[in-house]
Amino acid sequence: MKDADRALVVAVTTRAVFDAAAGDVYGMGVAFPLLQSLQKVNERLLEKNPAESLLFDVVLIATDSQQQSSRIISSTSHYGLEVGRFCFSSREDLVETLVVNNVQLFLSTDRDEALQVSQKGVLSALLGRQEAPSESLRVMLCGDAIVRPDCDPVPASRGAAQSFSARLGEMRGRFGVSGSPLSIVLVTSSGGSKSCGVALQTLRSRGLSVDEAYCLAGAPRGPILSLLRPHFLLGDGVIDLED
Amino acid sequence: MGRWRSPPTPTQKTQTSEYGRPNPKPENAVTIGVSARVLFNMETEQQIYERQGLEEYIKYQVEHETQPFTPGPAFSFVKALEAVNAQLRELYPESEELFDVVLMTNNHAYVGLRLINTINHHQLFIERFCMTGGNSPIGYLKAYHTNLYLSADPVKVREALEEGIAAATMFTPEKMAEVSESQLRVAFDGDAVLFSDESERIYKAHGLDKFFEHEKAHENKLLDHGPLKGFLEALGKLQKKFYGKGQRMECPIRTYLVTARSAASSGTRALKTLRSWGLEIDEALFMAGAPKGPMLEKIRPHIFFDDQMFHVEGAAEMGTVACHVPYGVAQGVTKREMNGRETSSAPK
């Protein structure tokens, strides 16, 4: 198990990772490319420093009683997925399970589930659809949230988002400008180039350097999102990736 | 006696720009994508990138973040677009039929702050940008309904043309001639720019005289369209908005055709084709094969498009911002072209 204090704990629902299928092994779900990308980041981090402690620690959470625990575990090992922990919980206990396991980011394909978690202060995001495996883990940040520090009420997961992005920045900093297995993409939807500049500066002051930046100034997000193919998008609350 | 009314309260429009006006929807605007290197002078930085690599380049950019770049060859063109916008807004305050300039660069966002600082320093109205961090910007050009893409990189320009987007490689003249700040002037070559390269093939194979003969013989046969026809069309649409308000003579947009065709023989086919497309051009200059540089020096366009490097270089030598449209039979894949650098050379 990874160093509890230093690892970046990411929880994913088993429903997102595995598709129901006949036989002993589940099919690959939406979250598969994400897990592979997280793994690749860990591999590259350990390549640079075998004693690296700032790694992704993946927790699989099953809230779906439809999926059998034994099949989840055997499927995980069948695909060679590196999972730190399995948590067999229920929908009602989900948030508590996340908190107890020190989860810093919760990923789901279920919007209601993600919202419920986010409202309790745990950083949560929806998984993006990946058509093909990508070369890097692509994390998208919504700049509008960064530039709007004083909205009322302050989103519950704001604090969690800020500390997550600081850790992510530290992780990104282990790699050079090109060839990184982790890409940080900033998108600002409204607001012009000045706003985006403020977002870039704010993120940098938190230790997070951005690789790609897109300032839409009101242009629709959909066409850009389908080009950017993020694995997930972080912003205030939970944001839909299909615009 | 009239009734006194209190002044109307200003309506709260959703503001998406610091300049107090929302940006037009991409499908309504004439969207011009410009790369960082043509908008600004980044020659020093480009050299660092080529000689010392990406990390050193980024380091240098970040170290000089508060130092704005000086204008590049596309700068005066962009300023002229903004001048036209100001006049369009006065006449049609609610309309979204405006120019929208988008910075399309495959620079990393590390360079972002310097670019944004420079945009602010020069008071450019560029509110949209894509910094793709090394990825091709071509997909984004389509997502933004880009009407014209200008870059210093001929590879990207070719990619854009292949995707059906009007595009040209922009070169920096050694000395830039002074251009109007209130009237946008755009000059186009005819064959393989506005028109297809079908006639250019005749010229290449058989020379200028045969070309003139052929064109005269076929003067009633319409030419096929070239990669920049759509952009001329977009300009024409905006021009008509000025005509609609009685501003034909002093229209803030003026277009020119500067072609090797001759008025006596091959010019007619070109003009007939334009007319059949419902397009107007303000001035047609038939050079009959003579160099275009001196004529362009008189016209002072903000931008000139040609498919032949000979003409692009000739124009640039005399201070015109000239762009190469790498389309059609005139293209040979020479090392000089692939470098995308302006060089002086003997005529082809």
Side-chain angles (χ1 to χ4, degrees), chain B residues 59-80:
Chain B
K59 189 156 157 262
Y60 182 92
Q61 293 280 30
V62 174
E63 276 167 11
H64 291 80
E65 207 162 70
T66 52
Q67 201 179 307
F69 297 108
T70 53
F75 192 89
S76 56
F77 174 57
V78 169
K79 278 286 189 187

Side-chain angles (χ1 to χ4, degrees), chain A residues 3 26 40 47-48 51 53 68 79 85 88 90 113 120 130 138 145 162-163 168 182 188 194 197 203 207 217 219-220:
Chain A
D3 182 341
Y26 284 119
K40 218 179 287 173
E47 240 174 71
K48 282 198 173 271
S53 56
Q68 298 171 320
Y79 290 114
R85 272 164 283 165
F88 299 98
S90 68
E113 192 175 67
K120 297 285 187 212
Q130 296 290 312
R138 295 175 62 76
Q162 288 186 4
S163 63
L168 198 67
L182 168 60
T188 52
K194 271 201 187 105
L203 288 171

Side-chain angles (χ1 to χ4, degrees), chain A residues 151-175:
Chain A
C151 58
D152 178 36
V154 174
S157 55
R158 172 70 65 78
Q162 288 186 4
S163 63
F164 183 83
S165 48
R167 309 286 304 286
L168 198 67
E170 214 189 316
M171 206 185 255
R172 177 66 186 85
R174 303 274 198 260
F175 302 101

